[in-house]
Amino acid sequence: MTPRRSRGRRLVLVAVAALALVLAACSGVKNNGQNSLEPKGPQSQKIYDLFVPILIIAIVVGILVVSATVIIAIKFRYKKGKNENPKQVHGNTRLEIGWTVLPALLLAIIAVPTVATIFDLAQNPGPQALQVNVEGKQWWWQFSYPDAKVVTADEMIIPTGRDVYLHLRACDGTSETPTTCNVIHSFWVPELAGKKDVVPGQANTLTINADKPGTYLGQCAEYCGLSHANMRFRVIAKSPADFQEWLSQQQQGPVNQLTEANGDPAGPTQKLIVNTFQCTNCHVFDDSSKAAYGPNLTHLASRTTFASGSYPLTRDNLVKWVRNAPSMIPMSSQDCRLPPGDGICVGMPSFIENTPPGQQSMTQQQAEDIADFLLEQK
Ligand code: CUA
């Protein structure tokens, strides 16, 4: 075998190995719950149906261009003993018109289904759709159902087979508690729909729909600060009957009352929540119709995750979170217990670190009591 041939064979081997590696990586992410190439609803299916033919066209064009480049490079390469300059030409009108018109024509053809799909997906699905207000906060998602007057967080429950019309906002005064959030988020559930930015001062809309019951993973897809990567959420699709059951359960009052009729805390744990640690500054514990600065916790125990989907809702996780949330996800919350905060104060404060003068640190027992109280709030 000549040296040149063996080098060629080695190159082919490397290329095959690289391709195998890429394909293996692809098969690994197939079922990661965030694969836009595994559409699970009509909107994502439409995007997929547009993507595949365009991908095929792109692959054909790519193969043609790369092969032409390689063939020309090999055919006209320097040859020993033939040391002459190639013939100098100045433009070839026919060729230049050809390689201008052909791509323009191709793009024009691709534009037809692309523009049609964009308009199709942007359509208001009409009054039969379920309306959900989505608020992107730092760093969690609030979902409210205006018709049912239900506010929840981190997990959006939807009925299968029905369009859900999302009104996407960043928290800039559209909620009941005006705040000054001013960052852009992006709402993305890859298996159900395309990405849509959530912009302060602008109400964007998006339609999603899930064919089958299941959990679809979502993620904030626009850098929005410290915990951007932890700003996850879940869309949980239930059968229409199960969805109705969930909705009416959410409309009920809390399992444990927070306060008596006269406004006093209804028990020792409630006293910790209302007075000692003033969790009620940011959270609502006893009315699932109210939006708040932090997640509404009236029915926290009906959720499977918390902290924007970063942690499964277990007692251990919740105790640790209640006591020292910034140790679990990065937040800018060191001054949050000093009202009114001058500096940036985003996220749960730590109740064992940076405790302001005159305020209490939280004991393990107190954190356990609060967590147990919350875990009863189904
Ligand atoms: Cu919100 Cu990134």
Side-chain angles (χ1 to χ4, degrees):
M1 200 188 290
T2 66
R4 196 200 283 162
R5 239 205 207 152
S6 86
R7 204 190 306 150
R9 197 166 286 189
R10 230 180 295 153
L11 260 174
V12 169
L13 254 166
V14 169
V16 168
L19 188 69
L21 204 67
V22 168
L23 291 177
C26 287
S27 71
V29 297
K30 194 166 183 270
N31 295 317
N32 69 353
Q34 289 192 315
N35 188 351
S36 56
L37 302 180
E38 295 269 303
K40 302 277 167 61
Q43 285 78 19
S44 50
Q45 186 67 48
K46 278 175 193 166
I47 296 172
Y48 181 79
D49 291 345
L50 176 69
F51 172 77
V52 170
I54 292 178
L55 177 71
I56 291 170
I57 293 173
I59 288 173
V60 170
V61 170
I63 288 174
L64 288 177
V65 170
V66 172
S67 327
T69 309
V70 170
I71 288 168
I72 288 168
I74 291 173
K75 199 172 171 203
F76 299 105
R77 74 186 186 281
Y78 168 76
K79 288 188 187 94
K80 234 183 192 165
K82 263 189 119 188
N83 192 11
E84 57 205 41
N85 277 332
K87 197 174 121 199
Q88 301 297 302
V89 283
H90 278 280
N92 178 327
T93 315
R94 232 197 286 163
L95 209 58
E96 285 186 10
I97 290 175
W99 69 44
T100 308
V101 168
L102 214 65
L105 205 67
L106 207 57
L107 289 177
I109 292 168
I110 287 171
V112 175
T114 304
V115 173
T117 305
I118 289 171
F119 276 89
D120 185 13
L121 291 174
Q123 248 178 26
N124 185 331
Q128 80 289 347
L130 175 72
Q131 311 288 317
V132 178
N133 293 330
V134 176
E135 271 187 71
K137 309 229 188 187
Q138 279 175 311
W139 292 274
W140 59 284
W141 298 90
Q142 179 169 273
F143 304 112
S144 38
Y145 301 71
D147 298 325
K149 299 203 172 11
V150 164
V151 177
T152 186
D154 303 344
E155 293 178 1
M156 184 191 339
I157 315 295
I158 62 166
T160 52
R162 182 174 166 196
D163 281 339
V164 181
Y165 198 41
L166 307 175
H167 304 262
L168 306 164
R169 295 186 183 97
C171 47
D172 62 335
T174 48
S175 69
E176 288 174 40
T177 46
T179 51
T180 50
C181 304
N182 51 10
V183 292
I184 301 175
H185 306 275
S186 182
F187 181 94
W188 194 27
V189 197
E191 291 183 343
L192 294 183
K195 241 178 242 176
K196 188 59 84 77
D197 274 7
V198 183
V199 184
Q202 163 138 6
N204 281 345
T205 56
L206 181 73
T207 307
I208 61 169
N209 186 330
D211 293 331
K212 287 185 192 149
T215 298
Y216 305 96
L217 300 182
Q219 170 73 50
C220 177
E222 177 85 36
Y223 181 69
C224 56
L226 275 181
S227 262
H228 155 70
N230 300 303
M231 195 172 162
R232 307 172 198 170
F233 60 98
R234 270 142 217 264
V235 174
I236 300 175
K238 294 175 183 279
S239 71
D242 288 350
F243 170 74
Q244 273 313 323
E245 197 187 318
W246 173 83
L247 204 58
S248 42
Q249 187 257 330
Q250 296 291 310
Q251 286 170 323
Q252 283 161 23
V255 173
N256 294 315
Q257 287 300 327
L258 187 70
T259 51
E260 308 279 12
N262 64 3
D264 287 344
T269 307
Q270 287 90 326
K271 203 174 164 198
L272 293 176
I273 291 170
V274 178
N275 297 338
T276 315
F277 300 111
Q278 295 166 18
C279 313
T280 41
N281 280 351
C282 296
H283 297 280
V284 172
F285 292 79
D286 55 356
D287 186 347
S288 55
S289 72
K290 279 190 181 151
Y293 185 68
N296 187 309
L297 302 176
T298 311
H299 295 292
L300 174 71
S302 70
R303 300 172 202 157
T304 58
T305 55
F306 72 104
S308 210
S310 292
Y311 289 95
L313 187 66
T314 63
R315 187 175 186 271
D316 282 353
N317 284 342
L318 196 58
V319 169
K320 204 174 153 204
W321 177 265
V322 166
R323 207 158 170 240
N324 191 6
S327 71
M328 294 170 80
I329 66 170
M331 294 187 280
S332 325
S333 48
Q334 59 277 15
D335 302 313
C336 290
R337 293 184 66 195
L338 284 170
D342 265 351
I344 297 170
C345 172
V346 186
M348 275 272 285
S350 166
F351 288 97
I352 55 170
E353 283 165 20
N354 306 306
T355 304
Q359 297 203 29
Q360 263 190 51
S361 217
M362 191 185 284
T363 64
Q364 177 70 15
Q365 186 59 52
Q366 287 171 326
E368 286 178 16
D369 289 346
I370 293 172
D372 287 337
F373 172 87
L374 288 170
L375 287 172
E376 283 169 16
Q377 303 285 66
K378 295 233 185 268

